[in-house]
Amino acid sequence: MTTQVSAGRRARAGVRLPARTLGLGLATTYLSLVVLLPLAAVAAKGSAGGLSGLWDAVRAPESAAALRLTVGAAVVVTLVDAVMGTAVAWLLVRDRFPGKRLVDTLIDLPFALPTIVAGLVLLTLYGPGSPVGVDLAYRRAGVVAALLFVTLPFVVRTVQPVLMELDADVEDAAASLGASRWVTFRRVILPALQPAIVAGAALSFARALSEFGATVLISGNLPFKTEVASVFVYGRIESDDIGTAAAVSTVLLALALLVLVALGLVQRWTARRG
Amino acid sequence: MSIQVNHVFKRFGDFVALDDVSLDVPAGGLTALLGPSGGGKSTLLRVIAGLEQPDSGTVEVEGRDVTGLTPQQRSIGFVFQHYAAFKHMTVAKNVAFGLEIRKHPKAEVRRRVNELLELVHLEQFAERLPAQLSGGQRQRMALARALAVQPEVLLLDEPFGALDAQVRRELRTWLRRLHDEVHVTTVFVTHDQEEALEVADSIVIVNQGRVEQAGTPRELYDEPASEFVMSFLGPVTRFQGQQVRPHDLVLHPEVQGAAVGAVVKRVTRLGFEVRVDMEAEGEPLWVQITRAAAAELDLEPGDVVGVTVSTPAPVA
């Protein structure tokens, strides 16, 4: 606090912006308490045994398997979301069909639902004794299905407004220049949507990395098979192996951070082209 | 290439956008579709382009019926009011678009793009993105993009509508010169009569989904077919219940013969012309006279003068 106060005084003496300095101090303190400190604590705990200790904990067969499954499933889910999310957004913006408003509202449901409820829904539908005859329980496909369910809204909701704002003249211009509908989509519309798709996909990916509730029921959490990283972390904590839990958490944290930084770069690059 | 539009109807819901429109655009000319907003001129242009399908009627280019063809199948260049730039592509890529999707050889595309950028004076902006250009530059880029594929017909929808007055005037003159160089049959939509008179070889007045009159600027100005055309193109005033051009009225120092007496309200000197606001038979009236005529009459507010109509006769 003392450093912030003296920094404030200096700013006041110099450019006379007390409100701004106060606001900055408050925001920094709040962010530190709520976000940065806990994250730092996890990272510190994870690397308590030095970098080699962290590396060993992550490389241990069960941790590695959980991380591989998590990242692999997240990549698959992100790719599917990018394609299907764009398609759903397209349908909602460009097509007219009865019940469109209802569908538009339902898109957010996976996001609003407590994820454990989502897990229960999926288990009921795609579990043993499935009414539709599809049993994904205790299988990796079940993990992917659960992640697809909870990450659906991200790409849809980032692409939708961009698609609505898209200038219809641009498509007419492409048509008048001889471009077929497909060429227009690939060379004119898709590049315009790309930043939104990337942003939505990044959020999907981060969410898929961290999902717990939706996957915990349907996956059965079989080590080396269907146990995702967050469930593995939970298991380690239950068994009092805080070190391994923190190490795996640190990796998840680093991955999520990486994705968000990449997203920031993409957005800055897009902003430049206006 | 000449364009014929035959008995085209188009409605949007209850709104009749085009109501039995027929039109002949001569090959190689520069034609303006002029009229008030919402009168149907943009719809007519889009029907010619194939961007809208008419409910009935046909469009022919050089005698060939193109009504059923998509915009892709018609050889047209279209320029939009708000540029419709491909924002993620450089200026050069925008211009190259039509050529690249036709799979022209790279070297040829590059040569043609350079040629066109030179034509529209944007050669030093080839690698910029549209967002880094001014409105006038963006519209010139859009024009180069449309011309790249060597269209039979160039269509421009309010091409200067989004630009400020200064740039507008520049681009107008420039479009006229460009057309004299490129000679492609060109139709442009505008609601600005000055723009139409200054740029076009022929003008088509479109109002409430109908063609009011088509002809050269002189014909429309001197022989308007309706009160609407007369009032839309050039100044008008009312005299004895009829529309007349204010410069077709003659002022006399005495009220004699057929002359109608009028009281001078205000005299405004606007450069080479003088505007005299008056009241005749209880109605406001204004005339445009030369400085010499004004000097001879030596008008002051309150003076009573005689007013007659010179030829051509007013429109009923």
Side-chain angles (χ1 to χ4, degrees):
Chain A
M1 271 321 271
T2 49
T3 54
Q4 275 161 13
V5 169
S6 65
R9 221 172 262 151
R10 241 180 292 133
R12 217 168 300 161
V15 285
R16 291 182 173 275
L17 285 170
R20 187 176 155 197
T21 314
L22 186 67
L24 189 67
L26 262 175
T28 313
T29 310
Y30 180 78
L31 211 63
S32 303
L33 284 175
V34 175
V35 182
L36 298 178
L37 273 176
L39 290 184
V42 169
K45 194 84 186 169
S47 51
L51 267 184
S52 66
L54 185 143
W55 185 234
D56 288 341
V58 170
R59 250 185 2 166
E62 202 183 334
S63 328
L67 279 171
R68 261 202 308 275
L69 171 66
T70 303
V71 174
V75 168
V76 170
V77 163
T78 304
L79 292 178
V80 174
D81 277 348
V83 176
M84 293 313 294
T86 306
V88 171
W90 184 273
L91 209 69
L92 288 176
V93 174
R94 293 292 174 99
D95 270 3
R96 265 188 252 169
F97 54 89
K100 178 168 143 176
R101 273 172 178 241
L102 184 70
V103 174
D104 198 11
T105 311
L106 286 180
I107 297 289
D108 286 326
L109 205 56
F111 193 66
L113 214 57
T115 55
I116 192 76
V117 177
L120 183 66
V121 168
L122 286 164
L123 188 64
T124 319
L125 191 61
Y126 299 130
S130 153
V132 291
V134 181
D135 185 0
L136 300 178
Y138 316 124
R139 293 167 60 182
R140 285 180 175 169
V143 174
V144 171
L147 294 179
L148 283 176
F149 182 79
V150 293
T151 58
L152 170 74
F154 293 109
V155 173
V156 178
R157 289 303 185 220
T158 51
V159 170
Q160 207 177 6
V162 180
L163 205 51
M164 284 199 288
E165 292 291 300
L166 218 59
D167 187 2
D169 284 352
V170 171
E171 286 165 59
D172 285 344
S176 75
L177 290 166
S180 64
R181 286 180 67 100
W182 167 244
V183 169
T184 303
F185 178 76
R186 193 169 53 81
R187 301 193 49 154
V188 176
I189 299 174
L190 201 55
L193 298 182
Q194 194 190 2
I197 297 174
V198 170
L203 293 173
S204 276
F205 186 78
R207 177 67 189 269
L209 279 185
S210 62
E211 187 52 39
F212 181 93
T215 56
V216 72
L217 291 179
I218 200 165
S219 74
N221 314 310
L222 305 171
F224 300 103
K225 192 170 172 229
T226 60
E227 186 181 44
V228 296
S230 54
V231 175
F232 172 74
V233 168
Y234 179 70
R236 289 293 91 200
I237 294 169
E238 291 281 89
S239 330
D240 238 0
D241 182 3
I242 305 289
T244 305
V248 171
S249 303
T250 307
V251 172
L252 290 178
L253 180 65
L255 279 173
L257 196 64
L258 203 71
V259 168
L260 294 180
V261 168
L263 175 63
L265 289 177
V266 168
Q267 276 168 345
R268 196 180 300 178
W269 168 75
T270 327
R272 229 188 25 187
R273 83 184 190 197
Chain B
M1 304 279 164
S2 63
I3 305 168
Q4 286 84 43
V5 175
N6 308 311
H7 303 290
V8 162
F9 288 86
K10 176 75 186 175
R11 22 165 96 242
F12 297 105
D14 285 340
F15 178 71
V16 180
L18 296 175
D19 186 5
D20 193 15
V21 169
S22 293
L23 183 67
D24 261 308
V25 178
L30 182 43
T31 302
L33 300 182
L34 175 66
S37 302
K41 51 197 193 310
S42 283
T43 306
L44 178 55
L45 198 74
R46 292 175 63 85
V47 165
I48 296 173
L51 295 170
E52 300 286 356
Q53 273 298 314
D55 298 334
S56 64
T58 59
V59 178
E60 289 171 29
V61 174
E62 199 67 18
R64 187 171 60 112
D65 187 347
V66 298
T67 318
L69 299 185
T70 62
Q72 288 91 339
Q73 294 164 322
R74 302 182 190 196
S75 182
I76 45 141
F78 204 101
V79 173
F80 298 82
Q81 180 176 1
H82 298 286
Y83 329 123
F86 302 141
K87 288 184 187 156
H88 60 286
M89 296 182 199
T90 62
V91 170
K93 279 282 176 191
N94 264 275
V95 176
F97 186 84
L99 299 169
E100 284 186 347
I101 60 172
R102 281 174 178 71
K103 310 249 187 271
H104 284 240
K106 277 212 170 85
E108 189 199 314
V109 172
R110 204 172 314 127
R111 188 182 52 75
R112 182 101 183 98
V113 167
N114 287 338
E115 239 173 63
L116 282 157
L117 288 179
E118 234 170 84
L119 185 72
V120 300
H121 308 301
L122 286 176
E123 56 272 50
Q124 70 273 43
F125 298 111
E127 294 312 311
R128 296 257 185 110
L129 289 169
Q132 296 166 301
L133 301 183
S134 71
Q137 290 169 334
R138 264 183 248 189
Q139 199 55 299
R140 281 179 358 231
M141 177 194 83
L143 202 59
R145 180 177 68 179
L147 289 173
V149 293
Q150 293 180 306
E152 293 172 351
V153 174
L154 181 62
L155 307 172
L156 307 100
D157 191 2
E158 300 256 5
F160 314 129
L163 304 169
D164 60 56
Q166 173 78 25
V167 182
R168 248 180 122 106
R169 262 194 300 279
E170 268 173 41
L171 276 192
R172 233 187 251 168
T173 324
W174 178 81
L175 175 69
R176 182 65 244 184
R177 275 210 308 272
L178 182 84
H179 181 263
D180 294 339
E181 269 178 61
V182 183
H183 281 309
V184 55
T185 307
T186 304
V187 181
F188 75 101
V189 161
T190 181
H191 61 257
D192 180 345
Q193 47 135 328
E194 198 185 316
E195 193 164 288
L197 287 171
E198 201 178 312
V199 179
D201 303 322
S202 58
I203 298 177
V204 180
I205 306 276
V206 181
N207 183 38
Q208 296 188 327
R210 295 174 154 275
V211 172
E212 294 268 346
Q213 192 177 0
T216 64
R218 194 201 61 77
E219 283 167 357
L220 296 192
Y221 193 90
D222 292 339
E223 300 148 35
S226 65
E227 285 208 359
F228 176 82
V229 172
M230 184 162 182
S231 64
F232 201 75
L233 212 66
V236 287
T237 186
R238 288 197 83 79
F239 179 61
Q240 296 191 295
Q242 290 173 325
Q243 266 189 336
V244 287
R245 299 279 185 217
H247 49 70
D248 285 341
L249 293 174
V250 183
L251 300 189
H252 308 273
E254 308 288 329
V255 187
Q256 287 176 339
V260 175
V263 184
V264 175
K265 293 288 179 192
R266 184 180 150 90
V267 181
T268 318
R269 278 157 229 283
L270 304 155
F272 65 90
E273 67 177 53
V274 176
R275 176 187 169 126
V276 186
D277 286 281
M278 299 178 297
E279 199 179 289
E281 298 170 331
E283 296 285 321
L285 168 74
W286 67 280
V287 296
Q288 248 176 338
I289 55 176
T290 62
R291 290 172 64 91
E296 202 169 302
L297 288 163
D298 189 25
L299 296 173
E300 292 287 339
D303 289 356
V304 175
V305 289
V307 184
T308 55
V309 181
S310 76
T311 48
V315 173

